[in-house]
Amino acid sequence: MPFKDLGLSPELLTALKPKTYPSPTPVQSEFIPAAAAGRDVWVTAPTGSGKTLAYALPLLDRLLSSQNQATPLTSALRPLPGRNPRAVQSLVLVPTRELAIQVSQTFMSIASQWGTRCKITVVFGGVSINPQMMGLRGGTDILIATPGRLIDLIEHNALKLSNVQSLVLDEADKLLELGFQDELQHILSLLPKKRQNLFLSATRPESIESLAQSILRLPHEIHIAAETPQPSVIQQRAIYTDRTQRTQLLKHLIKAENLKQVLVFVATQHSSEIVAAKLRVAGISSEPFHGQLSQGKRQQVLADFKAHRVKVVLATDLAARGLDIEKLPTVINFDLPRSAVDYTHRIGRTGRAGESGVAISFVCPESLQHWALIEKRHAVKLPQESIPGYEATTEAPEPLENNGGVKGKRPSKKDKLRQLAASKAEN
Ligand code: ADP
Ligand code: MG
C-alpha cells in the first residue's frame, strides 16, 4: 500500500521523498491510519522496522492541519503579544540522548521544507540546560525529550505540558529498563487526561504490560514478532579463541578481512577505552563509545564513524539500541552480550533494511556455556571457527551442572594455575 492511501494529507505527502521512503514498512502501513484517526496505538515491533516515521508522520500531519484550521489571530504564525505562541502539541519521550537526536532528525528532515512553520525541539540531559531553555522561548510544537531533562525544564518554567494532544513513549521497554518509572509517572501527572497515547517498544516484558494498561485507552495493537535474525541478511559467525587473544584476533580480522566499518561490543567502559587505545597503536582508527563520555564526544564519535573517518567503534551496550547507523557491515561481540535479547539488539545494528551484514562473536572457553544458551534461544548452532594462530589453548571450565562426566579426571583451569604457581615458587 502506498503512503498516499494511509490517510495523510497531500501537503504532508509532498514532503516524503520517494528516494528515501519508497513505500511504507508493514508497521507504518498499520500504524499511520490508526494514529491519524486519533486512536491510541500500541506497537511491539523489532528494531529497524521503521517505528519513528510511523509516529512522526501522523503527528506532523496533525500539526499542519491544526495550523491550517487556526484563524490568523490565534495561529501559530501570528502570536498574540505576551502569550506563548506555541504550546507543545506532541511530546515524544525517549530513553537516551542518542535516540532523542536521531528521532528529531527524522522529524526535521520532513518538516524542514515548511521552514519555521513547524517548530521541533529536542532536549536531553548531559549538556547545559540554558541553551535548551532559550530554545524553548516562544514555545515549540513538537518536543522530543529524555524524561529527566524534561522535568528539569518544567521545574525551570521553561515549558508546560497542559496542551499536549499526543504523547509518544518510544522504546518504552528501554525507558523502564533504565529506571525512568518515577519520572514517567510524574510527567504523566502533568499531561491533560484527554490525549492520544502512542506506545512503542521492541520487546514486551511484563513490566511493559502494566504500564501500557495504565496509559492506553482501547489501543489499536500492532504486534510484529521479533524474528530470529535472518541468516540470509545477517551472516552470523562464532570464533573460538582465548580471552587473552581477543585484541590480537580483532586486529588480525580487521586487517586480514579488510573490515571497513566495525562496531565492536565490549562489556565495560574500561575495555572500551583499553581496546580502542590498543587498536590505535596498531594503526587502526578507533574510538571508545560509552556512557561516561560527554554528549559532545559521543556525537562526534558517531559522526566520524558514519563518515568513515573512524573505522572501529568500541561500544558498551549503551549503543546497542536505537542507534541507526546505516549499512553497517560488521558487528563484533568482543564480549558476549548478557542475554539472548541483547544479542538480537546488537546484531540488529548490521544488515538493516535488507543490507547484508556480518555479526561475529568471540567465544572463549569461559563463555562457552553462555554462548550455548544464546544459540539455544535463537535456535541456531553456528560452526565454531578457529583462526590459525588464534586458537583457544585453555580448556573450558568444568560445567556447572552435573553432565555425567567424571569429575577430577583432568586438571581444571584452577588446578593448572595452582600447579603453575607451585612450579614458579619452586624455581
Ligand atoms: P525502529 O524505530 O523500528 O528501530 P527506525 O525508525 O529507526 O526503526 O527506522 C529504521 C531505518 O529504516 C531508518 O534508517 C529509516 O530511515 C528507515 N526507514 C523507515 N521507514 C522507511 C521506509 N518506509 N522506507 C525505507 N526506509 C525506511
Ligand atoms: Mg526506534
Side-chain angles (χ1 to χ4, degrees):
M1 189 185 280
F3 277 111
K4 69 175 175 49
D5 294 347
L6 301 180
L8 299 166
S9 68
E11 193 178 16
L12 184 69
L13 289 171
T14 56
L16 281 180
K17 302 277 169 288
K19 261 196 185 162
T20 323
Y21 305 117
S23 59
T25 64
V27 168
Q28 291 160 4
S29 298
E30 211 177 325
F31 188 101
I32 293 170
R39 286 192 66 179
D40 280 8
V41 187
W42 181 5
V43 184
T44 321
T47 307
S49 46
K51 296 190 285 295
T52 319
L53 194 71
Y55 63 78
L57 293 180
L59 295 185
L60 284 168
D61 209 16
R62 159 99 52 80
L63 178 59
L64 291 173
S65 71
S66 67
Q67 290 178 348
N68 290 339
Q69 282 161 14
T71 59
L73 260 187
T74 55
S75 125
L77 300 170
R78 293 244 198 119
L80 291 172
R83 220 187 88 180
N84 231 3
R86 298 181 201 250
V88 180
Q89 185 178 89
S90 297
L91 171 66
V92 182
L93 287 180
V94 295
T96 62
R97 311 153 190 196
E98 283 75 22
L99 188 63
I101 293 167
Q102 203 179 297
V103 165
S104 68
Q105 283 167 349
T106 299
F107 272 91
M108 286 170 189
S109 70
I110 295 163
S112 59
Q113 68 154 352
W114 295 295
T116 53
R117 191 169 149 197
C118 304
K119 185 168 170 194
I120 294 151
T121 306
V122 56
V123 297
F124 44 77
V127 293
S128 165
I129 198 169
N130 291 335
Q132 295 179 352
M133 290 177 61
M134 302 276 282
L136 284 166
R137 281 200 189 154
T140 188
D141 299 310
I142 294 178
L143 181 66
I144 298 141
T146 53
R149 177 54 57 97
L150 175 63
I151 292 176
D152 285 350
L153 284 163
I154 293 169
E155 283 169 2
H156 280 81
N157 283 326
L159 78 148
K160 287 204 167 64
L161 299 179
S162 47
N163 285 299
V164 169
Q165 294 174 23
S166 295
L167 167 73
V168 178
L169 295 187
D170 195 358
E171 299 206 359
D173 48 351
K174 187 81 173 179
L175 277 165
L176 291 186
E177 209 178 293
L178 293 179
F180 282 127
Q181 187 102 30
D182 292 345
E183 285 87 347
L184 271 183
Q185 292 307 333
H186 181 58
I187 294 166
L188 288 172
S189 73
L190 302 174
L191 293 169
K193 291 233 153 32
K194 192 167 171 289
R195 57 166 199 266
Q196 179 182 42
N197 300 288
L198 305 171
F199 199 98
L200 305 100
S201 71
T203 60
R204 200 157 163 168
E206 259 171 46
S207 53
I208 279 284
E209 301 276 340
S210 51
L211 180 68
Q213 306 288 359
S214 70
I215 294 179
L216 297 166
R217 269 167 233 156
L218 301 173
H220 178 83
E221 286 195 38
I222 302 171
H223 188 82
I224 295 180
E227 299 164 18
T228 44
Q230 294 301 313
S232 57
V233 180
I234 302 173
Q235 185 204 350
Q236 299 179 67
R237 294 168 58 186
I239 301 181
Y240 196 50
T241 190
D242 277 336
R243 239 186 118 69
T244 50
Q245 294 209 78
R246 289 174 301 171
T247 310
Q248 293 303 331
L249 173 61
L250 182 60
K251 283 189 229 169
H252 169 78
L253 284 178
I254 292 167
K255 291 191 171 160
E257 304 197 1
N258 194 17
L259 303 179
K260 295 274 189 299
Q261 209 185 15
V262 194
L263 179 60
V264 180
F265 283 102
V266 290
T268 62
Q269 297 177 353
H270 183 68
S271 1
S272 147
E273 293 283 350
I274 299 281
V275 181
K278 286 185 180 163
L279 293 185
R280 275 203 297 269
V281 169
I284 300 166
S285 60
S286 317
E287 287 291 342
F289 186 80
H290 55 70
Q292 271 324 87
L293 298 175
S294 72
Q295 178 56 19
K297 175 73 185 166
R298 272 150 70 175
Q299 274 171 255
Q300 186 60 48
V301 171
L302 280 182
D304 287 345
F305 191 42
K306 285 184 187 181
H308 294 266
R309 289 188 293 266
V310 163
K311 186 179 275 202
V312 187
V313 164
L314 282 299
T316 56
D317 272 302
L318 174 84
R321 287 248 200 138
L323 289 186
D324 178 33
I325 303 160
E326 272 176 58
K327 297 180 194 166
L328 200 59
T330 316
V331 166
I332 296 184
N333 290 318
F334 186 95
D335 287 304
L336 290 180
R338 266 179 247 159
S339 69
V341 173
D342 284 345
Y343 181 76
T344 310
H345 285 129
R346 284 189 183 186
I347 73 172
R349 303 296 100 211
T350 181
R352 293 171 75 104
E355 299 290 330
S356 65
V358 183
I360 302 174
S361 298
F362 289 175
V363 182
C364 307
E366 297 87 339
S367 59
L368 202 52
Q369 281 196 62
H370 183 57
W371 175 244
L373 275 177
I374 293 176
E375 282 188 316
K376 199 170 154 195
R377 291 274 154 77
H378 284 267
V380 290
K381 184 91 190 119
L382 302 182
Q384 248 172 43
E385 289 178 53
S386 280
I387 305 289
Y390 304 90
E391 300 94 339
T393 52
T394 50
E395 282 180 42
E398 293 288 331
L400 291 176
E401 294 154 351
N402 185 357
N403 64 355
V406 184
K407 264 202 164 180
K409 257 201 162 175
R410 65 189 163 85
S412 69
K413 201 172 153 218
K414 257 193 191 156
D415 291 336
K416 281 188 205 162
L417 285 174
R418 275 191 217 106
Q419 281 165 10
L420 191 73
S423 71
K424 273 196 185 145
E426 279 166 18
N427 294 334

